[in-house]
Amino acid sequence: MSIEGENLINAFKLLGKSIGQQWANKDSFAILLSDFKQGATFIDLCRRWLQDAERSQRLHCIGFVSNNFSCPPLTSTIETRSEDSTELDSLIAELSKKWPLPIAGFHRIYLKNSTVMLTLVLGDFESQLFEVSGPINVFILNHECDELHLQTLKQIYRLSQADSTILSLSSSQTSQDLLVKTGFLPHRHCTPQGAFLTATIQRPPRTQLQCPTTKEAIIIGAGIAGCALANSLARRDWKIRLIDSQTQIASQASGNHIGLCHPTFSLDDNFQARLSRAGFFTTQQKLKELLHHKQPVHFGMEGHFQIAKDSEAAELMQAILKEQRLPETLVRWLGVQQAVSQLNIECEFGGWWFPQGMWINPASSCNGYINECIDNIDQSLNTYIERIDCNALVWHLYDCEGQLIASTETLILANAHDAARLLSNTDLALSSSLRSVTRIPANHLNATSTGISGATYLTAEFDGWRCAGANLVRSNDNELEVEASNLNDLANLIGASAVLNTSGAQTRQCVRPNSADRLPLVGAIPDTQPISHSVHQLFHIPKSAGLFAILGFGSRGLSWHALSAEVLACQLNNEPQGIERSLINAIDPSRFVLRRLRKLSSQKKP
């Protein structure tokens, strides 16, 4: 059977209302395509959405690509009228340009100024559906199958809400029976193209996360995480008050002159590797979008070289590339001779070359995030929060003299290590370390212009400076010793003769926030009250009403900030996530409470 594109969308009229009536005046609307195919259905959905004056503010589409991961020849199934074609053609061109690299997993693409969000899942629909986060309004099950499977429908039920609908090309009696069994009411329809099913939900699942009743929030912390989150929420029409104890934004770890941004990899493709990859691609898109909107953000994508520290590391790095089969446009191995001939970098063991590796000036990114949505973001700088407390579901913020500074139903902590002070009774497993970064006049170095990392790092040049670091600062180190340590490590990295002059070097120290498992904390903060019921999963742990975190980035702030901001913004607005559900769970702030409770439970067993 073949029902695709326009015909597939028109089939929804059999439910008594068009697709447009379903998304009318909603904040967001989400559609799942079990087979993205050539993209015709997605393109036609976008055409209808763009034409509709009463459309939702945002359109989400999750599409599965199970076979060929290369970009298809994206077209509509119908000829658009001339007045419609320009905007649709620009969307198709934008999607073609942003089509992800052929790496299995989730890839979110931000289109039309982030009003259309396409999440491509490169992998099999049946095996990857459990990784999708809801809610989904419409399920278009257009993949090839004789009948629907019970486990698939259970996952669809999990992702549903009261108004969710299903269209399935599988119309067998078994499929109908399974739909009824999993809480749906099916209807079989016949057309000249063939038979298909539509279904509505009879008993929606219980919602675990309650969204805020008002679109207003206070964010404590105006570093790159807080600024990116303010942007993501302001774009969704939230009113944000951004509070920081410093006199200007990007004053702590985000105040370094230049930072590096590239993915990491592991042999088993662990959570950190997957999160860094998704974060890297999100940071790229978001900074390019700021630049497109005429924000003066400073970054470059000239590449980065990560040097193997020894022969064992070199073997592991090559084994990872062989195991993961990553595209060379993302990363490739360069041997000793290749590093010299291609990058003019001398090294003993070779390393990874990231052709798209980035350098970023964090302060300009922070300002870009704020200024793009300045009408919705109010800044309260030089404002120190001594303590917070909650009364009648409202959070109150106080200064050192006990005077009330502000109140809000939604409070978000983006203040790095200082969050542990405000939440001293909450098990967040946060720690901190003091680090130093030395910036050096670029003309004082006779080294490749490419960013390099190994035991230490050297950034590319921005505004006449390059940065090296970031060494741990011990309690008994003085400023001269700290700077000398960075310069000594730099000489070991690029060769002592390449450091022509150390005069004019400037070193700043800042606190790096860390988590116990080296993953960020993004989401609702657990409640501190004793738990009397059994706890087996993260959603069993009670959350503090209206309290959220975006913390613990360690050395990966530039790679993770934009992704983490979007993750939390989707949670607060009840929108589908752009990364796997297992990754969402891996960065949930409640994970440390769950581990502690599981450990206690195992100790009680005989």
Side-chain angles (χ1 to χ4, degrees):
M1 173 182 184
S2 177
I3 299 180
E4 180 66 302
E6 180 77 1
N7 291 329
L8 195 59
I9 299 168
N10 281 335
F12 276 93
K13 291 181 180 178
L14 295 171
L15 292 172
K17 55 182 178 180
S18 70
I19 195 80
Q21 288 174 298
Q22 295 183 65
W23 65 41
N25 302 314
K26 284 184 166 66
D27 281 347
S28 68
F29 191 81
I31 300 170
L32 183 146
L33 294 170
S34 63
D35 191 346
F36 192 76
K37 295 186 177 181
Q38 299 299 305
T41 300
F42 171 71
I43 297 299
D44 287 330
L45 283 165
C46 289
R47 179 186 62 81
R48 284 172 174 259
W49 186 81
L50 290 168
Q51 291 175 350
D52 192 344
E54 297 183 346
R55 64 182 181 263
S56 59
Q57 293 184 28
R58 293 173 299 285
L59 177 65
H60 283 270
C61 183
I62 300 173
F64 290 79
V65 182
S66 58
N67 296 315
N68 185 2
F69 289 174
S70 60
C71 183
L74 299 163
T75 57
S76 172
T77 58
I78 61 172
E79 292 184 7
T80 58
R81 300 188 304 274
S82 58
E83 61 267 27
D84 302 329
S85 60
T86 301
E87 195 166 14
L88 189 64
D89 287 346
S90 70
L91 183 142
I92 293 173
E94 186 180 6
L95 175 54
S96 298
K97 185 177 181 180
K98 293 181 176 180
W99 191 266
L101 295 174
I103 303 172
F106 283 46
H107 301 262
R108 173 155 289 182
I109 305 170
Y110 297 88
L111 304 166
K112 305 300 292 182
N113 294 328
S114 294
T115 58
V116 176
M117 285 169 263
L118 171 63
T119 303
L120 289 172
V121 183
L122 304 190
D124 177 68
F125 168 68
E126 300 282 358
S127 62
Q128 290 296 310
L129 182 60
F130 79 98
E131 287 281 22
V132 176
S133 300
I136 305 296
N137 300 94
V138 172
F139 300 86
I140 300 178
L141 308 182
N142 59 336
H143 62 295
E144 296 293 334
C145 68
D146 294 329
E147 58 187 36
L148 300 175
H149 298 150
L150 179 60
Q151 292 304 317
T152 299
L153 291 176
K154 285 183 176 180
Q155 292 297 326
I156 288 174
Y157 177 79
R158 172 181 63 83
L159 297 168
S160 299
Q161 55 186 16
D163 63 349
S164 294
T165 54
I166 296 175
L167 188 150
S168 170
L169 300 189
S170 174
S171 60
S172 68
Q173 185 61 48
T174 300
S175 295
Q176 295 179 62
D177 293 342
L178 290 175
L179 279 164
V180 173
K181 185 175 182 178
T182 49
F184 296 93
L185 182 63
H187 301 276
R188 191 172 187 269
H189 310 276
C190 293
T191 70
Q193 291 83 12
F196 62 93
L197 294 177
T198 58
T200 54
I201 193 166
Q202 295 189 87
R203 51 180 193 275
R206 185 173 60 184
T207 302
Q208 298 294 335
L209 178 65
Q210 297 297 322
C211 291
T213 57
T214 60
K215 287 190 170 185
E216 297 178 356
I218 290 175
I219 300 174
I220 302 178
I224 199 162
C227 292
L229 179 59
N231 179 277
S232 289
L233 290 175
R235 278 172 164 267
R236 290 167 168 85
D237 293 328
W238 282 60
K239 297 295 183 181
I240 303 299
R241 183 172 179 183
L242 187 62
I243 298 178
D244 198 280
S245 61
Q246 304 298 310
T247 57
Q248 58 184 7
I249 65 174
S251 294
Q252 300 293 325
S254 299
N256 289 329
H257 185 63
I258 318 173
L260 300 174
C261 179
H262 60 80
T264 60
F265 307 106
S266 70
L267 204 56
D268 59 351
D269 202 25
N270 59 24
F271 288 142
Q272 191 176 56
R274 289 160 57 195
L275 197 69
S276 77
R277 196 164 59 232
F280 173 71
F281 293 137
T282 305
T283 296
Q284 276 191 342
Q285 289 191 72
K286 289 297 183 178
L287 293 188
K288 287 180 179 179
E289 193 170 57
L290 288 177
L291 203 60
H292 179 72
H293 293 163
K294 310 301 182 184
Q295 295 299 324
V297 293
H298 303 296
F299 67 96
M301 297 174 55
E302 295 90 359
H304 177 81
F305 189 57
Q306 183 177 340
I307 297 174
K309 298 177 183 179
D310 50 40
S311 59
E312 185 177 348
E315 291 178 7
L316 177 60
M317 292 167 78
Q318 292 177 82
I320 289 171
L321 296 190
K322 183 178 180 180
E323 175 69 23
Q324 299 298 333
R325 299 181 180 180
L326 297 162
E328 290 196 348
T329 49
L330 178 64
V331 61
R332 65 176 181 267
W333 176 260
L334 294 184
V336 174
Q337 295 303 320
Q338 291 173 307
V340 173
S341 61
Q342 296 182 33
L343 303 176
N344 193 29
I345 295 176
E346 294 185 0
C347 57
E348 190 174 355
F349 303 103
W352 281 338
W353 168 240
F354 299 91
Q356 302 178 41
M358 302 174 67
W359 62 265
I360 300 170
N361 171 243
S364 68
S365 301
C366 290
N367 281 292
Y369 285 130
I370 298 302
N371 292 331
E372 185 186 39
C373 302
I374 193 66
D375 290 341
N376 280 10
I377 302 173
D378 176 47
Q379 300 177 62
S380 297
L381 303 179
N382 197 26
T383 303
Y384 182 78
I385 306 300
E386 173 64 24
R387 64 180 178 90
I388 59 174
D389 66 32
C390 186
N391 184 23
L393 302 181
V394 176
W395 286 94
H396 304 286
L397 288 65
Y398 298 92
D399 64 15
C400 295
E401 297 178 355
Q403 297 297 311
L404 180 66
I405 295 174
S407 299
T408 181
E409 292 182 4
T410 303
L411 177 61
I412 304 164
L413 302 184
N415 53 337
H417 63 284
D418 196 44
R421 177 183 61 83
L422 294 176
L423 298 175
S424 57
N425 295 324
T426 304
D427 186 5
L428 295 178
L430 285 171
S431 63
S432 61
S433 58
L434 188 60
R435 299 281 173 165
S436 64
V437 175
T438 299
R439 68 174 192 169
I440 309 160
N443 58 8
H444 289 189
L445 300 175
N446 183 23
T448 176
S449 60
T450 301
I452 318 169
S453 61
T456 186
Y457 68 76
L458 175 66
T459 69
E461 178 267 335
F462 166 63
D463 201 23
W465 297 88
R466 302 181 73 173
C467 289
N471 273 336
L472 178 67
V473 179
R474 297 178 296 270
S475 59
N476 58 342
D477 289 343
N478 61 47
E479 293 182 3
L480 292 177
E481 291 173 331
V482 168
E483 185 170 292
S485 179
N486 278 339
L487 293 174
N488 182 66
D489 286 350
L490 175 62
N492 291 332
L493 180 71
I494 63 175
S497 61
V499 182
L500 305 178
N501 191 340
T502 60
S503 64
Q506 302 173 2
T507 299
R508 73 186 300 268
Q509 299 178 18
C510 57
V511 177
R512 176 184 292 178
N514 309 300
S515 71
D517 58 5
R518 302 179 67 191
L519 289 170
L521 287 75
V522 183
I525 292 177
D527 199 345
T528 57
Q529 297 299 316
I531 300 174
S532 57
H533 58 270
S534 297
V535 173
H536 305 288
Q537 302 294 335
L538 284 167
F539 63 81
H540 291 149
I541 298 175
K543 306 299 191 293
S544 297
L547 185 61
F548 301 86
I550 179 168
L551 302 164
F553 288 3
S555 63
R556 294 287 166 189
L558 295 180
S559 297
W560 289 345
H561 76 278
L563 174 65
S564 298
E566 279 296 304
V567 165
L568 189 47
C570 285
Q571 287 183 8
L572 289 167
N573 290 274
N574 202 26
E575 297 177 21
Q577 293 288 353
I579 58 176
E580 294 88 334
R581 190 159 60 115
S582 57
L583 282 181
I584 299 295
N585 291 339
I587 62 178
D588 191 313
S590 298
R591 65 187 185 268
F592 300 108
V593 175
L594 179 62
R595 291 170 192 172
R596 176 173 53 82
L597 293 174
R598 284 176 172 174
K599 185 177 180 179
L600 289 173
S601 178
S602 64
Q603 291 173 350
K604 292 178 181 179
K605 293 180 180 179

